[in-house]
Amino acid sequence: MNLGDHVGDSPDSVEANRAALQQATQTRSVFLKQVHGAEVLTLNAATPDGLVADACITTQQRLACTIMVADCLPVLLTDSEGLVVAAAHAGWRGLAGKSVSPDSTQKGVLETVFSAFKDSFSAIDQSIRAPAAPEIIAWLGPCIGPKAFQVGADVKAAFEATQADAARFFVANGGGKYWADLSGLARRRLRALGVTQVYGNDGSDAWCTVANPAIYFSHRRDGGVAGNGFATTGRMAACIWRQ
């Protein structure tokens, strides 16, 4: 059930798998070209697949914001009224973000999609049962877990640069390496944005892509198994849409 068209799979197989997804959800998934950045794309009925972005958002019905993953964290967002939906691809680079001002403020993919979400919500006709401000709800999908995600000191420093308490999501394992809790770091970022309703991935083993080969693809576990370094593993998708 590989949904990625960039991992060496048969194009016909990928097309058939995407058609099966559309049949199951009864909605169209828009697939992005994800580059571990923070660009947010607003979707409409004419949006083609393959545009470069690591997050997407829409107010249109039956148009699924879709994120492909095989270890990175998918984050799905909506509001309590279900008027806006969004999805973000949160690998460590996109999650940590980069400096966007002289005061070293970091703006990652969650910050950019959160800002786009508020803008989209504000643009909604307030006569359509919309409250003055969105009560944003987040769901975190499966990703590489805190017992499997080994990173260097540079990754730890990237998060600590703006959030000193991010250090608690890293556990030293010798040789200047750390085990990193990607879902925990995402929850910390969401709390900083004021998102208090966060569901899904809690960092336990059941959500770890590496530890559950029967149900999850994992690039860290399976990538390059052919011996040529090619990313031979498939991609899953996390989707959210308005009915």
Side-chain angles (χ1 to χ4, degrees), residues 71-72 142-146 148-150 180 182-183 207-210 218 220:
D71 278 333
C72 292
C143 72
I144 188 170
F149 190 27
Q150 180 174 265
L182 193 60
S183 65
W207 291 93
C208 178
T209 49
V210 176
S218 168
R220 182 67 65 102

Side-chain angles (χ1 to χ4, degrees), residues 68-103:
M68 287 187 292
V69 290
D71 278 333
C72 292
L73 176 70
V75 180
L76 306 183
L77 304 168
T78 190
D79 60 275
S80 57
E81 299 294 331
L83 299 175
V84 182
V85 293
H89 168 230
W92 80 260
R93 292 177 180 82
L95 191 60
K98 60 183 179 179
S99 177
V100 295
S101 65
D103 63 1

Side-chain angles (χ1 to χ4, degrees), residues 55-213:
C56 50
I57 188 168
T58 192
T59 59
Q60 296 196 8
Q61 296 178 341
R62 298 197 176 277
L63 191 64
C65 293
T66 303
I67 294 298
M68 287 187 292
V69 290
D71 278 333
C72 292
L73 176 70
V75 180
L76 306 183
L77 304 168
T78 190
D79 60 275
S80 57
E81 299 294 331
L83 299 175
V84 182
V85 293
H89 168 230
W92 80 260
R93 292 177 180 82
L95 191 60
K98 60 183 179 179
S99 177
V100 295
S101 65
D103 63 1
S104 296
T105 298
Q106 282 183 304
K107 191 173 184 180
V109 68
L110 292 186
E111 286 79 13
T112 55
V113 76
F114 179 82
S115 178
F117 196 105
K118 291 196 299 181
D119 290 345
S120 292
F121 196 88
S122 297
I124 295 173
D125 183 350
Q126 295 302 308
S127 66
I128 310 177
R129 65 183 175 83
E135 181 182 17
I136 298 178
I137 302 165
W139 180 85
L140 311 183
C143 72
I144 188 170
K147 296 178 184 177
F149 190 27
Q150 180 174 265
V151 300
D154 58 327
V155 176
K156 182 171 180 283
F159 284 95
E160 290 179 315
T162 55
Q163 295 177 323
D165 66 341
R168 65 191 177 93
F169 298 103
F170 295 85
V171 176
N173 69 340
K177 300 294 185 179
Y178 299 85
W179 297 119
D181 183 354
L182 193 60
S183 65
L185 288 162
R187 284 175 178 267
R188 172 66 183 83
R189 290 262 172 169
L190 289 166
R191 282 197 302 272
L193 292 169
V195 180
T196 59
Q197 295 191 65
V198 182
Y199 302 93
N201 191 337
D202 59 2
S204 61
D205 291 346
W207 291 93
C208 178
T209 49
V210 176
N212 295 280

